[in-house]
Amino acid sequence: MAQPKCRQIADELRERIVSGALRVGDRLPTEPQLQEQYGVSRNTVRDATALLVHEGLVESVPGRSGGMLVREKVTLTFHAHRAEMPGPTAETDAWRSEVEQQGYEATQEFRLTIEVLPGELAERLKVEPESAAVLRRCVRFVNGQPSSVQDTYYPMDLAEKVPELLSPRDIPQGTTRLLAERGYKQVAYYDEYVSRMPTPEEATLLRLQPGTPVLHYIRTGYTEERPVRVSVTPFAGDRNRIVSTHGDASIIARFRPEEEPR
Amino acid sequence: MAQPKCRQIADELRERIVSGALRVGDRLPTEPQLQEQYGVSRNTVRDATALLVHEGLVESVPGRSGGMLVREKVTLTFHAHRAEMPGPTAETDAWRSEVEQQGYEATQEFRLTIEVLPGELAERLKVEPESAAVLRRCVRFVNGQPSSVQDTYYPMDLAEKVPELLSPRDIPQGTTRLLAERGYKQVAYYDEYVSRMPTPEEATLLRLQPGTPVLHYIRTGYTEERPVRVSVTPFAGDRNRIVSTHGDASIIARFRPEEEPR
DNA sequence: CAGTGGTCTAGACCACGCG
DNA sequence: GCGTGGTCTAGACCACTGG
């Protein structure tokens, strides 16, 4: 068998989706229908649809009127260069206003904990491995659906100098601005982007369908003197896009006016 | 059953991997061993390992001395802000020198075609949908393994003014520099990052294991006057990381000296 | 209720690749 | 050869959810 049956079936269904014969929200044929149509066993049909699910093209909805649905591709755009850069809006509000500007509803859940800093992150902050850090976690929802989790770690010594960092509530003006007011103005950012499959925790937190990767975004912020914080943000890959610009922003604005805030 | 058997098995195996009991390159127990150990059927064992494969933790190697292996996590770092920015090195050489600096071997395959521009990209270049464009494709290999595919599209009218763009060979000084010499100096970039599962073509081209997402990177380059090119680069998610910086680069260099080129 | 997909079993044959 | 995983079959029971 040059091509396994499950792949042939998947290929035909995929073709129907990308060609537009099946549109977003449409139901694929049910498993019994596909068994009949291709003359294969149920498991083979399931192997085929599993391929499409893991490609992120299709999602399964349980129940009587459920089935395998062609998946929606929403994309919320997150502007890396805009967030937290000097400007009129505070950082958390920056995210909120981005979302609302794009016509969605934004909500957040905040939590503060003290954590032992994983080695990977200690290295970015240039502190001892295993040292303590303040973790400010913000789970961000778009239209009630979890969209990303921003975990920001501050070295413990910084939290002693800026005790508001230990406030277990969202800081209205944004922590970046607060730090700037306290003499810790961030003037450089180191951004990393990775695409990977979610850990089970991430899958739960972001309510990810099987076959959905995360876009992992790590930002390290520096003052003139030192790194002061590292933010680790897994974005649900199927619902987010990160945008960043370099060079003369006014040119971008000319050709992408929709990108301008406000 | 609160927790399906296949997940319990996957959880235990995952735990052994993340805890370090199983290291990169180690073999998981074979299917018969797991059947025996957990008292389940072979399909259940396979459902369990399939979960790990789709999480990107494990890969299967066929043959007598194959099996399910804990997967290696290489990460090549690609510096978005460095590539193509004014500097001494040309753009393709920039990639090559990045790879070699990180201790790997770099090879590339180049191909030129004329394509009908997909609507998505036509929009970025501000040309009519369905218009023709020059596609310069570069498949990039690290240690002989495909790592990313850079597809760069130039509007046809630009190719008429800069006919070297139609050269079916790699352009030694780099197309960005060539364009600059011809009066099309790019002064602004619009970068987009998306994480998603590969299309079958991408999976083939990048030889992706099941469960490997791609990090999709799209850069639109602008002169003072207009967008002149759009590069679409799917990176194999398991082998790449993209880095970008904002603000005062000298501060980054102080804390991450390894990041400095040369 | 009836029909959807989710999980599981117990078999079978095959392609691969090391020894 | 022979053990690895890859594919497939034909059954079974279950959880979920709209009508």
Side-chain angles (χ1 to χ4, degrees):
Chain A
M1 211 171 307
Q3 184 81 319
K5 289 185 193 174
C6 60
R7 262 197 224 175
Q8 284 177 21
I9 299 172
D11 287 349
E12 293 197 25
L13 292 172
R14 188 187 305 105
E15 177 51 31
R16 283 209 251 165
I17 293 170
V18 299
S19 74
L22 285 168
R23 297 156 165 277
V24 167
D26 284 355
R27 291 174 51 165
L28 264 52
T30 66
E31 290 177 353
Q33 284 169 344
L34 290 171
Q35 285 183 59
E36 170 74 15
Q37 185 175 342
Y38 290 96
V40 297
S41 74
R42 182 169 172 225
N43 279 349
T44 302
V45 166
R46 288 182 60 72
D47 287 347
T49 53
L51 285 171
L52 300 177
V53 168
H54 285 119
E55 283 170 26
L57 280 178
V58 152
E59 69 184 316
S60 76
V61 173
R64 176 79 156 84
S65 73
M68 309 297 299
L69 305 190
V70 178
R71 201 158 147 182
E72 188 184 6
K73 297 185 198 285
V74 197
T75 18
L76 181 75
T77 301
F78 177 82
H79 293 84
H81 58 290
R82 199 188 292 171
E84 309 166 56
M85 273 299 171
T89 52
E91 101 197 53
T92 49
D93 290 336
W95 177 78
R96 178 187 299 279
S97 66
E98 279 228 73
V99 174
E100 288 169 353
Q101 184 187 333
Q102 291 169 49
Y104 303 106
E105 184 208 351
T107 51
Q108 305 188 48
E109 281 176 12
F110 177 80
R111 203 192 69 186
L112 181 140
T113 56
I114 310 282
E115 302 273 335
V116 173
L117 207 51
E120 248 194 5
L121 300 182
E123 196 189 317
R124 286 178 176 78
L125 288 175
K126 300 295 172 195
V127 298
E128 290 300 309
E130 310 286 314
S131 53
V134 178
L135 166 57
R136 301 179 66 90
R137 162 171 291 188
C138 198
V139 185
R140 293 162 162 177
F141 298 81
V142 175
N143 288 351
Q145 204 178 22
S147 177
S148 59
V149 181
Q150 177 171 320
D151 277 350
T152 303
Y153 296 84
Y154 301 90
M156 212 57 205
D157 74 284
L158 192 69
E160 284 157 13
K161 289 168 194 143
V162 186
E164 290 93 331
L165 284 180
L166 291 166
S167 152
R169 318 198 53 195
D170 218 350
I171 296 180
Q173 76 266 44
T175 51
T176 302
R177 173 168 299 191
L178 168 70
L179 285 174
E181 288 166 4
R182 290 293 194 283
Y184 299 95
K185 180 168 160 53
Q186 291 169 55
V187 295
Y189 297 102
Y190 183 82
D191 288 353
E192 301 164 67
Y193 301 87
V194 173
S195 173
R196 58 171 176 68
M197 296 312 283
T199 63
E201 295 78 44
E202 287 168 342
T204 305
L205 210 49
L206 293 172
R207 288 182 221 143
L208 297 176
Q209 294 274 330
T212 309
V214 293
L215 176 52
H216 207 78
Y217 173 57
I218 305 176
R219 163 163 283 194
T220 310
Y222 297 84
T223 65
E224 295 277 355
E225 309 299 331
R226 56 177 285 192
V228 287
R229 72 90 198 267
V230 57
S231 296
V232 178
T233 311
F235 285 86
D238 56 342
R239 324 196 258 279
N240 288 280
R241 177 174 73 125
I242 304 185
V243 163
S244 173
T245 67
H246 294 270
D248 187 338
S250 67
I251 295 174
I252 310 276
R254 186 151 34 133
F255 291 103
R256 304 193 70 115
E258 76 282 8
E259 291 292 334
E260 275 307 277
R262 216 114 300 208
Chain B
M1 210 171 305
Q3 184 81 320
K5 290 184 194 174
C6 60
R7 263 196 224 177
Q8 283 177 22
I9 298 172
D11 287 348
E12 292 196 26
L13 292 172
R14 188 187 305 107
E15 178 52 31
R16 283 208 252 165
I17 294 171
V18 299
S19 74
L22 285 168
R23 298 156 164 277
V24 168
D26 284 355
R27 292 174 51 165
L28 264 53
T30 65
E31 289 177 353
Q33 284 169 346
L34 290 171
Q35 284 182 60
E36 170 75 15
Q37 186 175 340
Y38 290 96
V40 297
S41 74
R42 181 167 172 227
N43 278 349
T44 303
V45 166
R46 287 183 59 73
D47 287 347
T49 53
L51 285 171
L52 300 177
V53 168
H54 284 118
E55 284 171 24
L57 281 178
V58 153
E59 68 182 318
S60 76
V61 173
R64 175 79 155 82
S65 72
M68 308 298 298
L69 306 189
V70 178
R71 199 157 149 182
E72 188 184 6
K73 295 184 199 286
V74 197
T75 19
L76 181 75
T77 302
F78 176 82
H79 293 84
H81 58 292
R82 200 188 292 170
E84 309 167 56
M85 272 299 170
T89 51
E91 101 198 54
T92 50
D93 289 336
W95 178 78
R96 177 186 300 279
S97 66
E98 280 228 74
V99 174
E100 288 168 353
Q101 184 187 334
Q102 291 169 49
Y104 304 105
E105 184 208 350
T107 50
Q108 306 187 48
E109 281 175 12
F110 177 79
R111 204 192 69 186
L112 180 138
T113 55
I114 310 282
E115 303 272 334
V116 173
L117 206 52
E120 249 193 3
L121 300 181
E123 195 188 319
R124 287 177 176 78
L125 288 175
K126 299 294 171 197
V127 299
E128 290 301 308
E130 310 285 315
S131 52
V134 178
L135 167 56
R136 301 180 66 89
R137 161 170 292 190
C138 196
V139 184
R140 295 162 160 176
F141 298 80
V142 175
N143 288 349
Q145 203 178 24
S147 177
S148 59
V149 181
Q150 178 173 319
D151 278 350
T152 303
Y153 296 84
Y154 301 91
M156 213 55 206
D157 74 284
L158 192 68
E160 284 158 13
K161 289 168 195 143
V162 186
E164 289 93 332
L165 284 180
L166 290 166
S167 154
R169 318 199 53 194
D170 218 348
I171 295 179
Q173 76 266 44
T175 50
T176 302
R177 176 169 299 190
L178 169 70
L179 285 175
E181 288 167 4
R182 290 293 194 283
Y184 299 94
K185 181 168 159 53
Q186 292 170 54
V187 294
Y189 297 103
Y190 183 81
D191 288 353
E192 301 165 66
Y193 301 88
V194 173
S195 173
R196 56 170 177 69
M197 296 312 283
T199 63
E201 295 78 44
E202 287 168 342
T204 304
L205 210 51
L206 293 171
R207 288 184 222 141
L208 297 175
Q209 294 274 330
T212 309
V214 293
L215 176 52
H216 206 78
Y217 173 56
I218 305 176
R219 163 164 284 195
T220 310
Y222 297 83
T223 64
E224 296 276 357
E225 309 299 331
R226 57 178 283 194
V228 287
R229 73 92 199 269
V230 58
S231 295
V232 178
T233 312
F235 285 86
D238 56 343
R239 325 197 257 280
N240 287 279
R241 177 174 73 124
I242 303 184
V243 163
S244 173
T245 67
H246 293 272
D248 188 338
S250 67
I251 295 174
I252 310 278
R254 187 152 34 142
F255 292 102
R256 305 193 70 115
E258 76 282 6
E259 290 292 336
E260 274 307 276
R262 213 116 304 205

Coordinates of all heavy atoms in Angstrom, one line a residue, chain A residues 212-239:
Chain A
T212 N -3.4 21.6 18.8 CA -3.1 23.0 18.8 C -1.8 23.3 19.5 O -1.6 22.9 20.6 CB -4.2 23.7 19.6 OG1 -5.5 23.3 19.2 CG2 -4.1 25.2 19.5
P213 N -0.8 23.9 18.7 CA 0.4 24.2 19.3 C 0.3 25.5 20.1 O -0.7 26.2 20.0 CB 1.4 24.4 18.1 CG 0.5 24.9 17.0 CD -0.9 24.3 17.3
V214 N 1.3 25.8 20.9 CA 1.4 27.2 21.5 C 2.5 28.0 20.9 O 3.5 27.4 20.4 CB 1.6 27.1 23.0 CG1 0.5 26.4 23.7 CG2 2.9 26.3 23.4
L215 N 2.3 29.3 20.8 CA 3.3 30.2 20.4 C 3.9 30.7 21.7 O 3.3 31.5 22.5 CB 2.7 31.3 19.6 CG 3.7 32.4 19.1 CD1 4.9 31.9 18.5 CD2 3.0 33.4 18.2
H216 N 5.1 30.3 22.0 CA 5.8 30.7 23.3 C 6.6 31.9 23.1 O 7.5 32.0 22.3 CB 6.6 29.5 23.7 CG 6.8 29.4 25.2 ND1 5.9 28.9 26.0 CD2 7.8 29.7 26.0 CE1 6.3 28.9 27.2 NE2 7.5 29.4 27.2
Y217 N 6.3 32.9 23.9 CA 6.9 34.2 23.7 C 7.6 34.6 25.1 O 6.9 34.5 26.1 CB 5.8 35.2 23.4 CG 6.2 36.7 23.4 CD1 7.3 37.1 22.6 CD2 5.6 37.6 24.1 CE1 7.7 38.4 22.5 CE2 5.9 39.0 24.1 CZ 7.0 39.3 23.3 OH 7.4 40.7 23.3
I218 N 8.8 34.8 25.0 CA 9.6 35.2 26.2 C 10.2 36.5 26.1 O 11.0 36.7 25.1 CB 10.7 34.1 26.5 CG1 10.1 32.7 26.6 CG2 11.4 34.4 27.8 CD1 11.1 31.6 26.8
R219 N 9.9 37.4 26.9 CA 10.5 38.8 26.9 C 11.3 39.0 28.1 O 10.8 38.9 29.2 CB 9.4 39.8 26.7 CG 9.9 41.2 27.0 CD 9.0 42.3 26.5 NE 9.2 42.5 25.0 CZ 8.7 43.5 24.4 NH1 8.0 44.5 25.0 NH2 8.9 43.6 23.1
T220 N 12.5 39.4 28.0 CA 13.4 39.8 29.1 C 13.5 41.3 29.0 O 13.9 41.8 27.9 CB 14.7 39.1 29.0 OG1 14.6 37.7 28.8 CG2 15.5 39.4 30.3
G221 N 13.3 42.0 30.1 CA 13.3 43.5 30.1 C 14.5 44.0 30.9 O 14.8 43.4 32.0
Y222 N 15.3 44.9 30.3 CA 16.5 45.4 30.9 C 16.4 46.9 31.2 O 15.9 47.7 30.4 CB 17.7 45.2 30.0 CG 18.0 43.8 29.6 CD1 17.3 43.2 28.6 CD2 19.0 43.1 30.3 CE1 17.6 41.8 28.3 CE2 19.3 41.8 30.0 CZ 18.6 41.2 28.9 OH 18.9 39.9 28.6
T223 N 16.9 47.3 32.4 CA 17.1 48.7 32.6 C 18.6 49.0 32.1 O 19.2 48.1 31.6 CB 17.1 49.1 34.1 OG1 18.2 48.4 34.8 CG2 15.8 48.7 34.7
E224 N 19.0 50.2 32.3 CA 20.4 50.4 31.9 C 21.4 49.5 32.7 O 22.5 49.3 32.2 CB 20.8 51.9 32.2 CG 20.0 53.0 31.4 CD 20.6 53.2 30.1 OE1 21.7 52.6 29.8 OE2 20.0 53.9 29.3
E225 N 20.9 49.1 33.9 CA 21.8 48.4 34.8 C 21.8 46.9 34.7 O 22.8 46.2 35.0 CB 21.5 48.9 36.2 CG 21.5 50.4 36.4 CD 22.8 51.0 36.1 OE1 23.8 50.3 36.2 OE2 22.8 52.2 35.7
R226 N 20.6 46.4 34.5 CA 20.4 44.9 34.7 C 19.1 44.5 34.1 O 18.2 45.2 33.9 CB 20.3 44.7 36.3 CG 19.3 45.5 36.9 CD 19.1 45.3 38.4 NE 18.5 44.0 38.6 CZ 18.0 43.6 39.8 NH1 18.2 44.4 40.9 NH2 17.4 42.5 40.0
P227 N 19.0 43.1 34.0 CA 17.6 42.6 33.6 C 16.7 42.7 34.9 O 17.2 42.4 36.0 CB 17.9 41.1 33.3 CG 19.2 40.8 33.8 CD 20.0 42.1 34.0
V228 N 15.5 43.1 34.7 CA 14.6 43.3 35.8 C 13.4 42.4 35.8 O 12.8 42.2 36.8 CB 14.1 44.8 36.0 CG1 15.3 45.6 36.5 CG2 13.6 45.3 34.7
R229 N 13.1 41.8 34.7 CA 12.0 40.9 34.7 C 12.0 40.0 33.5 O 12.6 40.4 32.4 CB 10.7 41.7 34.7 CG 10.4 42.4 33.5 CD 9.6 41.6 32.6 NE 9.6 42.0 31.2 CZ 8.7 42.8 30.7 NH1 7.7 43.2 31.4 NH2 8.8 43.2 29.4
V230 N 11.4 38.9 33.6 CA 11.2 38.1 32.4 C 9.8 37.6 32.3 O 9.2 37.2 33.3 CB 12.2 36.9 32.4 CG1 12.1 36.0 33.6 CG2 12.0 36.0 31.2
S231 N 9.2 37.8 31.2 CA 7.8 37.4 31.0 C 7.7 36.2 30.1 O 8.3 36.2 29.0 CB 7.0 38.5 30.4 OG 6.9 39.6 31.2
V232 N 7.0 35.2 30.5 CA 6.9 34.0 29.7 C 5.4 33.9 29.3 O 4.5 33.8 30.2 CB 7.3 32.7 30.5 CG1 7.1 31.5 29.7 CG2 8.7 32.9 31.0
T233 N 5.1 33.9 28.0 CA 3.7 33.9 27.6 C 3.4 32.9 26.6 O 3.8 33.0 25.4 CB 3.4 35.3 27.0 OG1 3.8 36.3 27.9 CG2 1.9 35.5 26.8
P234 N 2.8 31.8 27.0 CA 2.3 30.9 26.0 C 1.0 31.4 25.4 O 0.0 31.6 26.2 CB 2.1 29.6 26.7 CG 2.1 29.9 28.2 CD 2.6 31.3 28.4
F235 N 0.9 31.5 24.1 CA -0.3 31.9 23.4 C -0.9 30.7 22.8 O -0.2 29.9 22.2 CB 0.0 32.9 22.3 CG 0.3 34.3 22.7 CD1 1.6 34.6 23.0 CD2 -0.7 35.3 22.7 CE1 1.9 35.9 23.4 CE2 -0.3 36.6 23.1 CZ 0.9 36.9 23.4
A236 N -2.2 30.6 22.9 CA -2.9 29.5 22.1 C -2.7 29.8 20.6 O -3.0 30.8 20.1 CB -4.4 29.6 22.4
G237 N -2.0 28.8 20.0 CA -1.5 29.0 18.7 C -2.6 29.2 17.6 O -2.4 29.9 16.6
D238 N -3.7 28.7 17.9 CA -4.8 28.8 16.9 C -5.5 30.1 16.9 O -6.4 30.4 16.1 CB -5.8 27.6 17.0 CG -6.4 27.6 18.4 OD1 -5.8 28.2 19.3 OD2 -7.4 26.9 18.6
R239 N -5.2 30.9 18.0 CA -6.0 32.1 18.1 C -5.2 33.4 18.2 O -5.7 34.4 18.6 CB -6.9 32.0 19.4 CG -7.4 30.6 19.7 CD -8.5 30.7 20.7 NE -8.1 30.3 22.1 CZ -8.0 29.1 22.5 NH1 -8.2 28.1 21.7 NH2 -7.7 28.9 23.8

